[in-house]
């Protein structure tokens, strides 16, 4: 049965699934990368994604429009991260503790709201979900076509964000300033540039992306909301940013490794190889710890990551 | 903006006890208002809802003892988090350590089923502490030897152990013979924690939790270990310069923290549910973090906060029956309470300083 895994059609389906599964994690990780570049650790990513997933679902359900659901999810993600930004940038509360509070808020609020909205329904209703949009010509390329170019729009958006964030960080003045905020905020402050405003913007961008990533989980694939459905994806995104050394392309590679594990797991279960599924499901989390334990370089982290900036 | 008015916001060198208590008070009040708004949003009179909440939590002797039953695991996990956070070790892993404690206790105890309670009870208590401690110790070693941040490692370990338990329970060696659910068979009667009062469910675990609180209090206040924990919280470098091995302190704090969390798992399995299943031990770790922070990381504060949260959980079930408000509301309320507290506490640690004459 292991040999079945080597058939071309299976390989294509695993790799296409990898790209699909990567989408929400990649969106959240790229957003978190931008936030961390400004020196702020958004540990509330899990809860932000979860609220994004929930509001996209409930938004699409009530408005009947998938895209409105996506917009609502992004707004929710932005608002969650605005709370976070206010707490850690303005009030300078411990970033880890604030992040935890946001995670608990996301999990509590989404379950409560779900129960309140569908108290009388035996089962939560489903919404429609996005179809794949094969790109003309490109999707006809053998092998690569069905893997890369027969995906959903949000997937294309996520992958295009890799060069976009790279260009922003390393080729624009705003990107340079943002990196400077994470490395040496005082220098920027002395030049008369607003440190807090840049951090707010970076954190809120991270929240918008986490909301979008969350939306992909519901209106992008599952069509319904299940409590705690992010299942650690927000935390994996944080691990990916660290493993990806705060750079867009390595972040993409790290995301693909984790998603590949997940896709492989689905495929192995699908063809009924006799490995307990719990072992396969635990694999990404075990690999996350291993990835952090065996990484050689500990550089790359913004110097002021996690340290609030005080003007004195 | 404020600076144009001739003022600047600066941190206070020390937050006062009054400021912290005030922050808790303001947070409670603000959360109460928000809670009332949520009640209105789902179309229930806040007055009726709060009344049924209080009635469910403390209305009768049985309800009050049930509140303490719900508070018991939270005291353990709250203490576990408090001791780690005091040393500025961000152990988010109480959740997983609760599982590890319950699982290790079950593993040891199931080998001794049938023997006297005088053997089985000490075994489950020590087993839970060893299991929770080892699982937290793993995160400590990852931190000191491999430089893996404890926040990340403990969160990952939380996810991993849920799968490990499921592996053992679902058609695994621990699954109930002929059972349909993912759970063990009922535990041996000799291993069940004795009930403290007739016609209640209040069990020995509550007493153990109070003893644990007293132990943590004495340890922090009176022992050299407590001094090291407090010192590690304020300045780990200074402690090293003074000749203390910081790796040893980190490992020790995590072992104690994990052992306390492990007891929560034992107390739920052997005091309330009488069988091991994920549903019996889920979410106490995360709630324990809120309990610890609202309890000002003080052992007796943790006990009070845990009883408050036990009351919320217990009252919410009654409220759901009476008013139809989903009991999941309290999870949102707990988080809101924490956010308001953090904001209030942070605000109380600032002062306005005049910078222009």
């Amino acid at each position: 049965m292991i040999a079945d895994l080597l058939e071309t059609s299976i390989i294509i389906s695993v790799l296409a699934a990898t790209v699909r599964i990567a989408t929400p994690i990649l969106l959240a990780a790229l957003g978190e990368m931008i936030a961390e570049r400004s020196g702020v650790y958004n540990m509330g990513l899990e809860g932000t994604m979860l609220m994004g997933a929930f509001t996209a679902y409930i938004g699409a359900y009530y408005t009947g429009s998938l895209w409105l659901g996506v917009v609502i999810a992004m707004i929710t993600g932005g608002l969650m991260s605005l709370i976070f930004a206010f707490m850690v940038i303005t009030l300078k509360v411990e970033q880890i503790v604030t992040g935890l509070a946001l995670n608990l808020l996301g999990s509590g609020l989404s379950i409560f709201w779900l129960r309140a909205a569908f108290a009388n329904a035996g089962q939560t209703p489903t919404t429609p979900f996005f179809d794949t949009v094969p790109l003309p010509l490109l999707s006809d390329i053998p092998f690569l076509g069905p893997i890369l170019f027969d995906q959903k729009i949000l997937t294309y958006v996520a992958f295009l964000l890799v060069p976009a964030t790279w260009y922003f960080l390393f080729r624009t003045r705003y990107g340079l300033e943002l990196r400077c905020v994470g490395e040496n905020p005082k220098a920027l402050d002395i030049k008369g540039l607003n440190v807090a405003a840049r951090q707010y913007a970076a954190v809120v961008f991270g929240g918008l992306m986490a909301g979008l990533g969350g939306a992909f989980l519901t209106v992008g694939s599952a069509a319904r909301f299940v409590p705690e459905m992010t299942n650690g994806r927000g935390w994996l995104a944080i691990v990916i940013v660290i493993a990806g050394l705060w750079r867009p392309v390595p972040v993409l590679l790290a995301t693909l490794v984790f998603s590949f594990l997940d896709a492989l797991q689905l495929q192995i279960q699908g063809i009924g190889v006799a490995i307990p599924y719990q072992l396969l499901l635990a694999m990404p989390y075990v690999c996350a710890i291993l990835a952090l334990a065996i990484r050689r370089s500990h550089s790359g982290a913004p110097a002021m990551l996690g340290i609030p900036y005080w003007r004195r | 903006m404020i600076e144009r008015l001739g003022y600047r916001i600066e941190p206070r060198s020390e937050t006062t006890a009054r400021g912290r208590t005030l922050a808790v008070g303001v947070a409670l009040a603000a959360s109460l208002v928000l809670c009332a708004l949520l009640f209105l949003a789902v179309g229930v009179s806040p007055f009726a809802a709060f009344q049924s909440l209080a009635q469910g939590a403390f209305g009768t002797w049985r309800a009050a003892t049930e509140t303490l039953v719900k508070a018991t695991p939270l005291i353990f996990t709250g203490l576990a988090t408090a001791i780690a956070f005091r040393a500025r070790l961000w152990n988010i892993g109480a959740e997983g350590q609760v599982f590890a404690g319950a699982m290790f206790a079950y593993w040891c105890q199931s080998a001794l089923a049938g023997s006297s309670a005088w053997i089985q009870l000490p075994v489950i208590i020590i087993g839970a502490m060893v299991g929770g401690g080892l699982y937290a110790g793993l995160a400590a070693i990852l931190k000191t030897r491999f430089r893996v941040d404890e926040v990340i490692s403990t969160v990952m370990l939380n996810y991993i152990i849920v799968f490990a338990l499921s592996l053992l329970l679902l058609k695994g060696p621990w699954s109930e013979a002929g059972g349909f659910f993912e759970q063990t068979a009922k535990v041996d009667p000799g291993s069940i924690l004795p009930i403290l009062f007739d016609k209640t469910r209040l069990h020995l675990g509550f007493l153990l939790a109070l003893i644990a609180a007293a132990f943590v209090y004495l340890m922090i206040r009176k022992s050299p270990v407590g001094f090291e924990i407090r010192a590690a919280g304020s300045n780990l470098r200074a402690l090293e310069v003074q000749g203390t091995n910081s790796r040893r302190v980190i490992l020790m704090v995590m072992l104690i923290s994990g052992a306390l969390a492990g007891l929560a798992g034992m107390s739920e399995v052997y005091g309330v549910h009488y069988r091991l299943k994920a549903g019996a031990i889920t979410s106490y770790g995360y709630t324990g973090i809120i309990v610890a922070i609202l309890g000002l990381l003080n052992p007796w504060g943790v006990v009070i906060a845990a009883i408050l949260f036990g009351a919320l959980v217990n009252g919410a079930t009654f409220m759901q029956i009476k008013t139809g408000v989903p009991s999941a509301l309290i999870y949102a309320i707990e988080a809101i309470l924490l956010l308001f507290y953090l904001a209030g506490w942070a605000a109380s640690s600032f002062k306005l300083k005049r910078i222009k004459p």
Side-chain angles (χ1 to χ4, degrees):
Chain A
M1 272 201 252
I2 296 288
D4 289 348
L5 281 174
L6 296 174
E7 260 176 51
T8 317
S9 63
I10 301 270
I11 292 174
I12 287 177
S13 111
V14 168
L15 293 181
T18 301
V19 171
R20 189 183 71 238
I21 291 168
T23 307
I25 306 178
L26 185 60
L27 286 166
L30 290 172
E32 176 73 7
M33 179 188 73
I34 296 289
E36 291 192 14
R37 279 284 183 171
S38 82
V40 182
Y41 242 130
N42 188 350
M43 291 273 185
L45 210 56
E46 180 79 15
T48 311
M49 266 184 108
L50 189 61
M51 277 307 277
F54 177 71
T55 50
Y57 162 74
I58 205 101
Y61 176 75
Y62 283 122
T63 64
S65 154
L66 291 178
W67 283 110
L68 266 179
V70 169
V71 170
I72 291 169
M74 288 183 76
I75 293 172
T76 310
L79 284 176
M80 293 274 287
S81 58
L82 203 58
I83 299 176
F84 183 83
F86 175 72
M87 298 281 285
V88 307
I89 299 167
T90 305
L91 293 178
K92 299 179 171 58
V93 182
E94 194 72 56
Q95 298 181 359
I96 294 164
V97 180
T98 312
L100 284 175
L102 274 195
N103 290 339
L104 295 166
L105 182 69
S107 127
L109 213 52
S110 59
I111 297 178
F112 165 67
W113 200 344
L114 185 74
R115 300 269 150 80
F118 305 115
N120 302 321
Q123 227 186 358
T124 53
T126 54
T127 61
F129 57 93
F130 286 117
D131 255 332
T132 57
V133 181
L135 298 181
L137 296 177
L138 287 172
S139 60
D140 296 332
I141 303 173
F143 196 71
L144 283 183
I147 295 172
L148 291 176
F149 303 113
D150 186 12
Q151 298 283 354
K152 294 168 188 189
I153 290 180
L154 289 181
T155 306
Y156 302 133
V157 170
F159 278 77
L160 285 176
L161 261 175
V162 176
T165 49
W166 178 84
Y167 185 83
F168 168 76
L169 276 178
F170 300 107
R171 289 292 178 273
T172 67
R173 209 188 79 196
Y174 296 114
L176 179 66
E177 284 169 8
L178 190 75
R179 285 187 287 138
C180 185
V181 171
E183 298 289 348
N184 189 351
K186 191 158 197 168
L188 216 67
D189 202 6
I190 288 170
K191 270 199 77 184
L193 299 172
N194 193 335
V195 172
R198 282 167 179 75
Q199 289 182 322
Y200 263 90
V203 170
V204 169
F205 175 76
L208 293 173
M209 290 305 111
L212 189 59
F216 186 82
L217 293 174
T218 46
V219 296
S221 36
R224 64 147 42 99
F225 180 81
V226 182
E228 309 295 339
M229 74 184 299
T230 42
N231 223 337
R233 285 184 183 82
W235 288 106
L236 281 181
I238 291 174
V239 172
I240 282 166
V241 174
I242 300 172
L245 302 170
W246 293 267
R247 288 169 173 278
V249 175
V251 162
L252 170 66
L253 294 178
T255 310
L256 288 175
V257 169
F258 280 110
S259 319
F260 176 70
L261 285 176
D262 210 4
L264 195 63
Q265 174 267 120
L266 285 173
Q267 191 66 48
I268 290 176
Q269 270 193 63
I271 58 174
V273 176
I275 302 173
Y277 75 95
Q278 296 97 336
L279 287 183
L280 300 169
L281 284 175
M283 223 157 41
Y285 308 102
V286 176
C287 290
I289 292 179
L290 290 179
L292 295 186
I294 61 174
R295 79 198 144 125
R296 287 220 191 90
S297 155
H298 286 265
S299 60
M304 298 299 281
L305 187 55
I307 304 164
Y309 174 66
W310 283 104
R311 178 188 272 187
R312 289 185 206 271
Chain B
M1 208 160 57
I2 299 171
E3 288 176 17
R4 272 185 215 133
L5 296 170
Y7 286 95
R8 180 189 288 171
I9 298 172
E10 284 196 348
R12 281 184 207 278
S13 47
E14 246 169 53
T15 54
T16 56
R18 223 187 68 200
R20 283 173 166 233
T21 319
L22 189 72
V24 177
V26 171
L28 276 171
S31 313
L32 221 57
V33 172
L34 235 144
C35 194
L37 289 176
L38 279 174
F39 285 135
L40 286 175
V42 291
V44 173
S45 139
F47 184 73
F50 282 126
Q51 198 195 15
S52 64
L53 196 68
Q55 201 186 340
F58 297 108
T60 60
W61 162 244
R62 187 176 152 95
T65 56
E66 198 60 21
T67 289
L68 297 182
V69 172
K70 297 282 193 291
T72 302
L74 298 178
I75 298 178
F76 284 124
T77 52
L79 291 171
T81 308
I83 208 160
F85 279 21
R86 277 214 165 203
R88 291 182 75 78
L89 271 172
W90 306 113
N91 177 15
I92 313 301
E95 183 76 21
Q97 291 142 22
V98 171
F99 273 68
M103 288 161 70
F104 201 75
Y106 181 81
W107 185 58
C108 298
Q109 177 272 328
S110 55
L112 297 166
S115 57
S116 138
W118 292 103
I119 298 173
Q120 292 195 56
L121 291 185
V123 162
I124 57 171
I125 292 168
I126 294 168
M129 292 172 68
V130 171
L134 285 179
Y135 208 53
L138 185 59
I141 288 169
L142 281 168
K143 180 183 174 70
T144 55
R145 301 284 161 183
F146 299 96
R147 293 175 65 186
V148 179
D149 186 58
E150 74 272 19
V151 175
I152 310 273
S153 67
T154 50
V155 169
M156 294 298 135
L157 291 170
N158 289 349
Y159 285 106
I160 291 168
I161 199 151
V162 175
F163 295 120
L165 179 62
S166 163
L167 186 66
L168 290 163
L169 288 182
L170 194 72
K171 295 179 204 150
W174 287 359
S175 55
E176 186 175 18
F180 175 72
F181 297 108
E182 225 178 293
Q183 60 184 23
T184 64
K186 279 219 162 184
V187 296
D188 185 69
S191 66
I192 286 174
L193 296 173
I195 298 291
L196 297 179
F197 304 105
D198 273 350
K199 290 181 187 156
T200 69
R201 294 206 301 166
L202 194 61
H203 54 86
L204 186 65
F206 179 68
L207 221 55
L208 289 175
L210 292 183
I211 294 170
F215 168 78
V216 170
Y217 173 80
L218 289 175
M219 191 181 63
I220 290 177
R221 282 295 161 86
K222 309 277 187 209
S223 76
V225 177
F227 169 75
E228 282 179 353
I229 291 175
R230 280 181 288 150
S234 52
N235 193 341
L236 202 58
R237 284 278 305 145
L239 202 65
E240 281 206 331
V241 171
Q242 186 217 326
T244 311
N245 182 347
S246 68
R247 283 182 175 178
R248 190 182 57 81
V249 177
I250 289 171
L251 183 62
M252 188 184 62
V253 171
M254 288 297 276
L255 287 177
I256 298 172
S257 176
L260 286 164
L263 287 172
M266 177 280 299
S267 121
E268 282 307 286
V269 170
Y270 291 97
V272 180
H273 295 273
Y274 305 145
R275 55 170 102 232
L276 178 55
K277 56 181 175 183
I281 48 182
T282 301
S283 92
Y284 296 116
Y286 290 117
T287 311
I289 296 170
I290 314 184
V291 166
I293 295 171
L294 290 178
L296 308 176
L297 304 187
N298 169 310
W300 300 118
V302 164
V303 172
I304 296 170
I307 292 175
L308 172 75
F309 275 40
L312 274 177
V313 175
N314 190 25
T317 320
F318 187 71
M319 179 186 71
Q320 180 168 5
I321 298 167
K322 278 281 246 200
T323 65
V325 178
S327 62
L329 173 75
I330 53 144
Y331 297 111
I333 290 301
E334 287 171 1
I336 290 169
L337 194 58
L338 177 61
L339 275 173
F340 275 119
Y341 166 69
L342 290 173
W345 176 62
S348 77
S349 63
F350 294 131
K351 60 181 178 193
L352 278 178
K353 192 183 174 193
R354 216 180 155 78
I355 49 175
K356 277 182 204 156

